[in-house]
Amino acid sequence: MRFTVVTLFAGMFEQVLSTSVLGKARAAGLVEIDFVNPRDFATDKHRSVDDSPYGGGPGMVMKCDSLVAAIETAGKSSSPHRVLLSPVGKTLTHSRAVALAKMDHIVVVCGRYEGVDERVVDMGIDESLSIGDYVLTGGELGAMVIIDAVARFVPGVLGHADSADDESFSGGLLEHPQYTRPAEFRGQAVPATLLSGNHAKIDAWRREQSLSRTAMHRPELIRQDTVLTQALAARTYVLLAHHPVLDRNGETVTTSVTNFDIHDIARSCATYGVAGYFPVSPVRLQREKIARIIEIWQREIAQAGSDDRGQALSTVAVSESISSAIETIRRRTKAEPWVVTTSAQAAPGGLHVGYSELVAQRVADGSRPLVLVLGTGWGLHSGILAGADQQLAPIRGTGDFNHLSVRSAASSILDRLFGQ
Ligand code: 4FN
Protein backbone atom coordinates (compact mmCIF):
# COMPACT_ATOMS: atom_id res chain seq x y z
CA MET A 1 0.00 0.00 0.00
CA ARG A 2 1.19 3.48 -0.83
CA PHE A 3 0.69 6.83 0.90
CA THR A 4 1.70 10.09 -0.74
CA VAL A 5 1.72 12.99 1.69
CA VAL A 6 1.22 16.48 0.30
CA THR A 7 2.86 18.75 2.87
CA LEU A 8 5.07 21.81 3.27
CA PHE A 9 6.83 20.05 6.16
CA ALA A 10 7.96 16.55 5.16
CA GLY A 11 10.65 16.79 7.84
CA MET A 12 8.01 16.33 10.54
CA PHE A 13 7.32 12.76 9.34
CA GLU A 14 10.75 11.16 9.22
CA GLN A 15 11.13 9.77 12.78
CA VAL A 16 7.47 8.91 13.21
CA LEU A 17 7.23 6.83 10.06
CA SER A 18 10.61 5.12 10.42
CA THR A 19 10.17 3.76 13.93
CA SER A 20 9.05 0.32 15.09
CA VAL A 21 6.11 -1.30 13.26
CA LEU A 22 5.83 1.31 10.50
CA GLY A 23 9.61 1.41 9.98
CA LYS A 24 9.69 -2.39 9.52
CA ALA A 25 6.66 -2.32 7.23
CA ARG A 26 8.39 0.22 5.01
CA ALA A 27 11.67 -1.68 5.06
CA ALA A 28 9.78 -4.83 4.03
CA GLY A 29 8.09 -2.93 1.18
CA LEU A 30 4.60 -3.53 2.58
CA VAL A 31 3.96 0.19 3.01
CA GLU A 32 5.42 2.90 0.78
CA ILE A 33 5.40 6.53 1.85
CA ASP A 34 6.49 9.46 -0.30
CA PHE A 35 6.12 13.21 -0.17
CA VAL A 36 5.18 16.04 -2.48
CA ASN A 37 5.84 19.65 -1.49
CA PRO A 38 3.41 22.27 -2.84
CA ARG A 39 6.25 24.80 -2.72
CA ASP A 40 7.89 22.96 -5.62
CA PHE A 41 4.85 23.96 -7.70
CA ALA A 42 4.75 27.64 -6.75
CA THR A 43 4.77 29.88 -9.79
CA ASP A 44 6.04 33.26 -8.55
CA LYS A 45 9.64 34.20 -7.90
CA HIS A 46 9.18 34.06 -4.09
CA ARG A 47 7.76 30.53 -4.39
CA SER A 48 4.82 31.57 -2.23
CA VAL A 49 2.18 28.98 -1.31
CA ASP A 50 -0.15 31.24 0.68
CA ASP A 51 -1.95 34.53 0.23
CA SER A 52 -4.36 36.74 2.19
CA PRO A 53 -8.04 35.76 2.14
CA TYR A 54 -10.53 37.38 -0.25
CA GLY A 55 -13.04 39.32 1.85
CA GLY A 56 -10.41 40.19 4.39
CA GLY A 57 -9.69 38.72 7.79
CA PRO A 58 -6.66 37.54 9.70
CA GLY A 59 -4.03 35.08 8.56
CA MET A 60 -3.28 33.48 5.23
CA VAL A 61 -4.87 30.83 3.01
CA MET A 62 -3.07 28.06 1.07
CA LYS A 63 -3.19 28.96 -2.61
CA CYS A 64 -5.00 26.63 -4.99
CA ASP A 65 -2.55 26.59 -7.93
CA SER A 66 0.46 25.07 -6.16
CA LEU A 67 -1.62 22.79 -3.94
CA VAL A 68 -3.73 21.39 -6.79
CA ALA A 69 -0.59 20.88 -8.89
CA ALA A 70 1.00 18.99 -5.99
CA ILE A 71 -2.07 16.78 -5.54
CA GLU A 72 -2.20 16.06 -9.27
CA THR A 73 1.48 15.13 -9.32
CA ALA A 74 0.98 12.88 -6.29
CA GLY A 75 -1.69 10.94 -8.17
CA LYS A 76 -0.17 11.00 -11.64
CA SER A 77 0.51 7.29 -12.07
CA SER A 78 -2.59 5.91 -10.32
CA SER A 79 -6.12 7.05 -9.45
CA PRO A 80 -5.54 7.48 -5.73
CA HIS A 81 -8.08 8.20 -3.00
CA ARG A 82 -7.40 11.81 -2.00
CA VAL A 83 -7.90 12.65 1.68
CA LEU A 84 -7.70 16.13 3.20
CA LEU A 85 -6.97 16.44 6.91
CA SER A 86 -9.47 19.00 8.11
CA PRO A 87 -11.68 19.85 11.10
CA VAL A 88 -14.57 19.80 8.59
CA GLY A 89 -14.18 16.04 8.01
CA LYS A 90 -15.72 13.14 9.86
CA THR A 91 -13.58 11.93 12.73
CA LEU A 92 -11.47 8.93 11.81
CA THR A 93 -12.88 5.71 13.26
CA HIS A 94 -11.70 2.14 13.54
CA SER A 95 -14.05 1.01 10.79
CA ARG A 96 -12.96 3.82 8.45
CA ALA A 97 -9.32 2.86 9.04
CA VAL A 98 -10.11 -0.76 8.14
CA ALA A 99 -11.82 0.40 4.94
CA LEU A 100 -8.98 2.74 3.93
CA ALA A 101 -6.46 -0.09 4.36
CA LYS A 102 -8.04 -1.82 1.35
CA MET A 103 -7.01 1.00 -0.98
CA ASP A 104 -3.89 0.79 -3.13
CA HIS A 105 -2.86 4.43 -2.96
CA ILE A 106 -3.96 7.25 -0.67
CA VAL A 107 -2.89 10.86 -1.13
CA VAL A 108 -2.95 12.60 2.25
CA VAL A 109 -3.19 16.39 2.00
CA CYS A 110 -2.12 18.57 4.93
CA GLY A 111 -3.40 22.12 5.38
CA ARG A 112 -1.50 24.97 7.04
CA TYR A 113 -2.20 28.63 7.90
CA GLU A 114 -5.95 29.35 8.26
CA GLY A 115 -6.85 26.63 5.77
CA VAL A 116 -6.88 25.85 2.06
CA ASP A 117 -8.64 27.63 -0.83
CA GLU A 118 -12.05 25.91 -1.08
CA ARG A 119 -11.52 25.15 -4.78
CA VAL A 120 -8.83 22.65 -3.77
CA VAL A 121 -11.48 20.73 -1.87
CA ASP A 122 -13.94 20.99 -4.76
CA MET A 123 -11.61 19.72 -7.47
CA GLY A 124 -8.86 17.77 -5.73
CA ILE A 125 -10.27 15.97 -2.67
CA ASP A 126 -12.40 12.81 -2.36
CA GLU A 127 -12.83 12.77 1.42
CA SER A 128 -12.09 15.07 4.36
CA LEU A 129 -11.09 13.43 7.63
CA SER A 130 -10.48 14.88 11.09
CA ILE A 131 -8.63 13.36 14.03
CA GLY A 132 -10.75 15.15 16.66
CA ASP A 133 -12.22 18.41 17.87
CA TYR A 134 -9.33 20.65 18.90
CA VAL A 135 -7.36 23.36 17.15
CA LEU A 136 -4.14 22.25 15.44
CA THR A 137 -1.45 24.26 13.69
CA GLY A 138 -1.58 22.01 10.64
CA GLY A 139 -2.80 18.70 9.22
CA GLU A 140 0.58 16.92 9.48
CA LEU A 141 0.04 15.24 12.85
CA GLY A 142 -3.38 14.13 11.60
CA ALA A 143 -1.76 12.63 8.50
CA MET A 144 0.61 10.63 10.70
CA VAL A 145 -2.32 9.41 12.81
CA ILE A 146 -4.16 8.24 9.69
CA ILE A 147 -1.12 6.48 8.25
CA ASP A 148 -0.45 4.75 11.58
CA ALA A 149 -4.08 3.67 12.06
CA VAL A 150 -4.51 2.48 8.46
CA ALA A 151 -1.12 0.81 7.86
CA ARG A 152 -1.55 -1.67 10.70
CA PHE A 153 -4.42 -3.29 8.77
CA VAL A 154 -2.26 -3.90 5.70
CA PRO A 155 -1.64 -7.66 5.62
CA GLY A 156 1.76 -8.56 7.05
CA VAL A 157 2.37 -5.27 8.86
CA LEU A 158 1.50 -6.74 12.26
CA GLY A 159 3.29 -9.90 13.33
CA HIS A 160 0.44 -12.38 13.78
CA ALA A 161 -2.33 -12.80 11.28
CA ASP A 162 -5.02 -12.22 13.90
CA SER A 163 -3.44 -9.59 16.10
CA ALA A 164 -5.17 -6.71 14.33
CA ASP A 165 -8.64 -8.01 15.30
CA ASP A 166 -7.73 -8.72 18.86
CA GLU A 167 -7.07 -5.17 19.94
CA SER A 168 -9.26 -2.57 21.58
CA PHE A 169 -12.21 -1.44 19.51
CA SER A 170 -12.31 -4.37 17.16
CA GLY A 171 -14.90 -6.00 19.36
CA GLY A 172 -16.46 -2.60 19.97
CA LEU A 173 -15.31 -2.73 23.60
CA LEU A 174 -12.24 -1.55 25.48
CA GLU A 175 -9.57 -4.07 26.34
CA HIS A 176 -9.26 -5.78 29.69
CA PRO A 177 -6.35 -4.63 31.88
CA GLN A 178 -2.98 -6.21 31.16
CA TYR A 179 -0.21 -7.31 33.54
CA THR A 180 3.24 -8.80 33.20
CA ARG A 181 5.99 -9.78 35.66
CA PRO A 182 6.56 -9.19 38.55
CA ALA A 183 3.50 -10.77 40.21
CA GLU A 184 3.75 -8.14 42.92
CA PHE A 185 4.93 -4.53 42.51
CA ARG A 186 5.12 -2.10 45.45
CA GLY A 187 2.57 -4.14 47.32
CA GLN A 188 0.17 -4.34 44.36
CA ALA A 189 -0.52 -7.92 43.26
CA VAL A 190 -1.65 -9.07 39.83
CA PRO A 191 -5.30 -10.32 39.98
CA ALA A 192 -5.16 -13.93 41.18
CA THR A 193 -7.32 -15.24 38.32
CA LEU A 194 -4.60 -14.38 35.79
CA LEU A 195 -2.11 -16.57 37.69
CA SER A 196 -4.57 -19.46 38.13
CA GLY A 197 -3.83 -21.18 34.81
CA ASN A 198 -7.59 -21.76 34.42
CA HIS A 199 -8.21 -20.44 30.93
CA ALA A 200 -12.00 -20.56 31.09
CA LYS A 201 -11.88 -18.47 34.26
CA ILE A 202 -9.32 -16.09 32.72
CA ASP A 203 -11.50 -15.58 29.63
CA ALA A 204 -14.56 -14.91 31.80
CA TRP A 205 -12.60 -12.44 33.96
CA ARG A 206 -11.29 -10.61 30.92
CA ARG A 207 -14.73 -10.39 29.33
CA GLU A 208 -16.18 -9.06 32.58
CA GLN A 209 -13.37 -6.48 32.95
CA SER A 210 -13.73 -5.41 29.36
CA LEU A 211 -17.48 -4.85 29.79
CA SER A 212 -17.23 -3.04 33.13
CA ARG A 213 -14.41 -0.76 31.94
CA THR A 214 -16.33 0.13 28.82
CA ALA A 215 -19.50 0.74 30.83
CA MET A 216 -17.60 2.99 33.22
CA HIS A 217 -15.46 4.99 30.79
CA ARG A 218 -17.08 4.71 27.34
CA PRO A 219 -20.79 3.86 27.80
CA GLU A 220 -21.62 5.06 24.29
CA LEU A 221 -19.56 2.18 22.86
CA ILE A 222 -21.86 -0.34 24.53
CA ARG A 223 -24.91 1.61 23.41
CA GLN A 224 -23.65 1.31 19.80
CA ASP A 225 -23.30 -2.46 20.01
CA THR A 226 -26.53 -3.81 18.55
CA VAL A 227 -26.02 -7.34 19.82
CA LEU A 228 -25.52 -6.21 23.41
CA THR A 229 -28.38 -3.66 23.33
CA GLN A 230 -30.81 -6.13 21.79
CA ALA A 231 -29.96 -8.67 24.46
CA LEU A 232 -30.74 -6.04 27.10
CA ALA A 233 -34.06 -5.12 25.47
CA ALA A 234 -34.94 -8.81 25.53
CA ARG A 235 -34.71 -8.79 29.34
CA THR A 236 -36.37 -5.40 29.82
CA TYR A 237 -39.91 -4.99 31.15
CA VAL A 238 -42.07 -1.86 30.97
CA LEU A 239 -44.56 -1.15 33.75
CA LEU A 240 -47.33 1.39 33.23
CA ALA A 241 -48.52 2.45 36.69
CA HIS A 242 -52.00 3.87 37.26
CA HIS A 243 -51.37 3.73 41.00
CA PRO A 244 -49.86 5.16 43.19
CA VAL A 245 -49.53 8.33 41.14
CA LEU A 246 -50.10 12.03 41.79
CA ASP A 247 -52.82 14.33 40.57
CA ARG A 248 -52.35 18.01 39.68
CA ASN A 249 -52.50 18.93 43.40
CA GLY A 250 -49.90 16.38 44.44
CA GLU A 251 -52.49 14.05 46.00
CA THR A 252 -52.04 10.31 45.61
CA VAL A 253 -54.64 8.90 43.25
CA THR A 254 -55.44 6.05 40.89
CA THR A 255 -55.77 7.22 37.30
CA SER A 256 -58.13 5.61 34.85
CA VAL A 257 -56.85 3.69 31.89
CA THR A 258 -56.33 5.52 28.61
CA ASN A 259 -57.03 3.36 25.59
CA PHE A 260 -54.21 4.87 23.52
CA ASP A 261 -51.59 4.44 26.27
CA ILE A 262 -52.28 0.72 26.58
CA HIS A 263 -52.26 0.16 22.88
CA ASP A 264 -49.42 2.44 21.77
CA ILE A 265 -46.96 1.45 24.51
CA ALA A 266 -47.62 -2.20 23.68
CA ARG A 267 -46.69 -1.45 20.06
CA SER A 268 -43.57 0.44 21.14
CA CYS A 269 -42.49 -2.42 23.39
CA ALA A 270 -42.92 -4.88 20.53
CA THR A 271 -41.03 -2.60 18.15
CA TYR A 272 -37.99 -2.21 20.42
CA GLY A 273 -37.87 -5.91 21.37
CA VAL A 274 -38.87 -5.39 25.00
CA ALA A 275 -39.62 -8.68 26.79
CA GLY A 276 -42.79 -7.68 28.60
CA TYR A 277 -45.33 -4.93 29.10
CA PHE A 278 -47.20 -4.79 32.41
CA PRO A 279 -50.01 -2.25 32.72
CA VAL A 280 -50.77 -1.87 36.46
CA SER A 281 -54.09 -0.95 38.09
CA PRO A 282 -55.53 -1.91 41.47
CA VAL A 283 -59.05 -1.53 40.06
CA ARG A 284 -60.47 -4.80 38.72
CA LEU A 285 -62.73 -3.20 36.12
CA GLN A 286 -59.81 -1.18 34.81
CA ARG A 287 -57.69 -4.32 34.50
CA GLU A 288 -60.49 -5.96 32.55
CA LYS A 289 -60.64 -2.96 30.26
CA ILE A 290 -56.87 -3.20 29.68
CA ALA A 291 -57.14 -6.91 28.91
CA ARG A 292 -59.89 -6.21 26.39
CA ILE A 293 -57.89 -3.47 24.61
CA ILE A 294 -54.85 -5.74 24.37
CA GLU A 295 -56.92 -8.66 23.14
CA ILE A 296 -58.48 -6.61 20.35
CA TRP A 297 -55.09 -5.30 19.30
CA GLN A 298 -53.48 -8.73 19.24
CA ARG A 299 -56.40 -10.16 17.28
CA GLU A 300 -56.05 -7.36 14.72
CA ILE A 301 -52.39 -8.13 14.30
CA ALA A 302 -53.00 -11.85 14.00
CA GLN A 303 -55.54 -11.16 11.24
CA ALA A 304 -53.42 -8.56 9.49
CA GLY A 305 -50.85 -11.03 8.26
CA SER A 306 -49.99 -14.69 8.21
CA ASP A 307 -46.37 -13.88 9.11
CA ASP A 308 -44.95 -14.49 12.58
CA ARG A 309 -45.33 -10.94 13.83
CA GLY A 310 -47.56 -12.25 16.61
CA GLN A 311 -44.62 -14.17 18.05
CA ALA A 312 -42.38 -11.14 18.12
CA LEU A 313 -44.80 -9.27 20.37
CA SER A 314 -43.84 -8.59 23.93
CA THR A 315 -45.79 -10.44 26.57
CA VAL A 316 -48.51 -8.32 28.09
CA ALA A 317 -49.45 -9.11 31.68
CA VAL A 318 -51.98 -6.90 33.41
CA SER A 319 -51.06 -6.53 37.10
CA GLU A 320 -52.69 -5.39 40.33
CA SER A 321 -49.71 -3.50 41.73
CA ILE A 322 -46.16 -2.48 40.88
CA SER A 323 -44.82 -4.94 43.42
CA SER A 324 -46.87 -7.86 42.06
CA ALA A 325 -45.64 -7.07 38.53
CA ILE A 326 -42.05 -7.02 39.78
CA GLU A 327 -42.67 -10.30 41.62
CA THR A 328 -43.95 -11.87 38.38
CA ILE A 329 -40.77 -10.75 36.59
CA ARG A 330 -38.62 -12.05 39.45
CA ARG A 331 -40.27 -15.47 39.25
CA ARG A 332 -40.17 -15.61 35.48
CA THR A 333 -36.50 -14.66 35.15
CA LYS A 334 -35.30 -16.22 38.41
CA ALA A 335 -33.22 -13.09 38.99
CA GLU A 336 -33.54 -9.89 40.98
CA PRO A 337 -35.03 -7.11 38.81
CA TRP A 338 -33.21 -3.76 38.57
CA VAL A 339 -35.96 -1.18 38.93
CA VAL A 340 -35.66 2.19 37.19
CA THR A 341 -38.31 4.88 37.47
CA THR A 342 -39.01 7.64 35.00
CA SER A 343 -40.33 11.09 35.72
CA ALA A 344 -40.93 14.39 33.97
CA GLN A 345 -39.37 16.01 37.06
CA ALA A 346 -35.66 15.95 37.77
CA ALA A 347 -34.72 13.54 40.56
CA PRO A 348 -33.92 15.14 43.96
CA GLY A 349 -30.33 16.32 43.77
CA GLY A 350 -30.32 15.66 40.03
CA LEU A 351 -29.19 12.12 40.68
CA HIS A 352 -30.46 10.45 37.58
CA VAL A 353 -28.86 8.04 35.22
CA GLY A 354 -28.32 8.87 31.53
CA TYR A 355 -29.57 6.63 28.75
CA SER A 356 -26.24 5.25 27.48
CA GLU A 357 -25.04 4.91 31.07
CA LEU A 358 -28.08 2.83 31.99
CA VAL A 359 -27.65 0.56 28.97
CA ALA A 360 -23.92 0.20 29.64
CA GLN A 361 -24.37 -0.54 33.36
CA ARG A 362 -27.13 -3.08 32.79
CA VAL A 363 -25.23 -4.85 30.01
CA ALA A 364 -22.12 -5.01 32.18
CA ASP A 365 -24.05 -6.20 35.22
CA GLY A 366 -24.95 -9.44 33.48
CA SER A 367 -28.32 -11.07 33.37
CA ARG A 368 -30.60 -9.19 35.77
CA PRO A 369 -33.89 -8.05 34.22
CA LEU A 370 -34.40 -4.31 33.78
CA VAL A 371 -37.75 -2.90 34.86
CA LEU A 372 -38.78 0.56 33.62
CA VAL A 373 -41.64 2.04 35.65
CA LEU A 374 -43.70 4.67 33.83
CA GLY A 375 -46.17 6.82 35.76
CA THR A 376 -49.48 8.22 34.58
CA GLY A 377 -51.24 11.37 35.83
CA TRP A 378 -48.77 13.90 37.28
CA GLY A 379 -46.12 11.24 37.89
CA LEU A 380 -45.19 8.39 40.20
CA HIS A 381 -45.68 8.67 43.97
CA SER A 382 -42.43 9.60 45.75
CA GLY A 383 -42.44 6.27 47.60
CA ILE A 384 -42.07 4.44 44.29
CA LEU A 385 -39.26 6.76 43.21
CA ALA A 386 -37.50 6.25 46.54
CA GLY A 387 -37.83 2.47 46.41
CA ALA A 388 -36.31 2.16 42.95
CA ASP A 389 -32.67 1.40 42.18
CA GLN A 390 -32.30 4.40 39.85
CA GLN A 391 -34.23 7.18 38.16
CA LEU A 392 -33.82 7.87 34.48
CA ALA A 393 -33.14 11.44 33.30
CA PRO A 394 -36.38 13.17 32.30
CA ILE A 395 -37.23 13.58 28.63
CA ARG A 396 -37.05 17.33 28.02
CA GLY A 397 -37.75 19.64 25.15
CA THR A 398 -36.02 22.99 24.89
CA GLY A 399 -38.51 25.17 26.79
CA ASP A 400 -40.35 25.05 30.09
CA PHE A 401 -43.47 23.41 28.72
CA ASN A 402 -43.19 19.76 29.71
CA HIS A 403 -46.38 17.83 29.10
CA LEU A 404 -45.58 14.76 27.04
CA SER A 405 -48.15 12.01 27.19
CA VAL A 406 -46.80 8.91 28.88
CA ARG A 407 -46.99 7.02 25.58
CA SER A 408 -44.85 9.67 23.85
CA ALA A 409 -42.34 9.64 26.70
CA ALA A 410 -42.31 5.83 26.54
CA SER A 411 -41.39 5.78 22.87
CA SER A 412 -38.66 8.39 23.35
CA ILE A 413 -37.23 6.44 26.26
CA LEU A 414 -37.26 3.13 24.37
CA ASP A 415 -35.68 4.74 21.34
CA ARG A 416 -32.90 6.31 23.41
CA LEU A 417 -32.19 3.02 25.13
CA PHE A 418 -32.58 0.55 22.26
CA GLY A 419 -33.16 2.42 18.96
CA GLN A 420 -30.67 1.89 16.13
N1 4FN B 1 -6.72 22.44 11.71
C1 4FN B 1 -11.78 23.72 15.00
C2 4FN B 1 -12.57 24.69 14.39
C3 4FN B 1 -12.00 25.56 13.46
C4 4FN B 1 -10.66 25.43 13.12
C5 4FN B 1 -9.89 24.47 13.74
C6 4FN B 1 -8.45 24.30 13.40
C7 4FN B 1 -4.84 23.54 10.71
C8 4FN B 1 -5.15 24.55 8.45
C9 4FN B 1 -7.12 23.74 9.70
C10 4FN B 1 -8.05 20.50 13.22
C11 4FN B 1 -8.67 19.53 13.99
C12 4FN B 1 -8.62 18.23 13.66
C13 4FN B 1 -6.76 18.08 10.70
C14 4FN B 1 -10.45 23.61 14.67
C15 4FN B 1 -7.32 18.79 11.73
C16 4FN B 1 -7.36 20.15 12.07
C17 4FN B 1 -7.94 17.86 12.51
C18 4FN B 1 -6.72 21.18 11.23
C19 4FN B 1 -4.36 24.55 9.74
C20 4FN B 1 -6.60 24.79 8.76
C21 4FN B 1 -6.32 23.63 10.99
C22 4FN B 1 -13.87 23.05 16.20
C23 4FN B 1 -12.26 21.35 15.55
C24 4FN B 1 -11.72 22.93 17.33
C25 4FN B 1 -6.59 24.85 11.87
C26 4FN B 1 -12.40 22.78 16.03
N2 4FN B 1 -7.78 16.63 11.97
N3 4FN B 1 -7.98 24.94 12.29
O1 4FN B 1 -7.77 23.59 14.08
O2 4FN B 1 -6.26 20.92 10.17
O3 4FN B 1 -7.05 16.78 10.90
Side-chain angles (χ1 to χ4, degrees), residues 85-87 111-115 129-139 142:
L85 272 300
S86 162
R112 277 275 154 178
Y113 314 111
E114 300 304 311
L129 279 176
S130 167
I131 58 162
D133 287 343
Y134 27 76
V135 179
L136 295 174
T137 57

Side-chain angles (χ1 to χ4, degrees), residues 179-306:
Y179 297 88
T180 184
R181 274 170 281 275
E184 194 183 311
F185 178 65
R186 296 188 181 171
Q188 286 271 65
V190 170
T193 308
L194 295 177
L195 310 175
S196 69
N198 180 338
H199 286 281
K201 259 176 82 180
I202 292 171
D203 286 347
W205 181 87
R206 285 181 164 169
R207 172 80 184 159
E208 188 274 313
Q209 287 286 313
S210 169
L211 274 168
S212 62
R213 287 184 129 193
T214 314
M216 171 95 76
H217 301 289
R218 302 293 306 280
E220 74 284 5
L221 295 178
I222 291 183
R223 177 62 189 79
Q224 283 158 19
D225 187 315
T226 52
V227 174
L228 294 175
T229 1
Q230 271 169 19
L232 179 62
R235 55 185 160 86
T236 296
Y237 296 80
V238 171
L239 269 55
L240 178 67
H242 296 85
H243 180 88
V245 297
L246 307 179
D247 69 5
R248 66 174 74 231
N249 302 314
E251 303 292 334
T252 303
V253 294
T254 300
T255 53
S256 59
V257 166
T258 305
N259 194 329
F260 280 130
D261 285 343
I262 301 305
H263 183 262
D264 289 0
I265 295 172
R267 293 165 66 129
S268 295
C269 287
T271 302
Y272 291 94
V274 164
Y277 173 41
F278 291 59
V280 172
S281 176
V283 182
R284 187 174 52 84
L285 279 170
Q286 295 279 302
R287 291 199 300 278
E288 287 170 10
K289 180 178 172 185
I290 296 168
R292 221 165 33 244
I293 295 165
I294 294 289
E295 215 183 276
I296 292 165
W297 171 58
Q298 293 192 325
R299 199 176 324 125
E300 272 169 13
I301 283 200
Q303 283 166 358
S306 53

Side-chain angles (χ1 to χ4, degrees), residues 154-170:
V154 173
V157 167
L158 295 180
H160 314 285
D162 58 352
S163 57
D165 317 319
D166 233 28
E167 312 258 337
S168 289
F169 270 103
S170 308

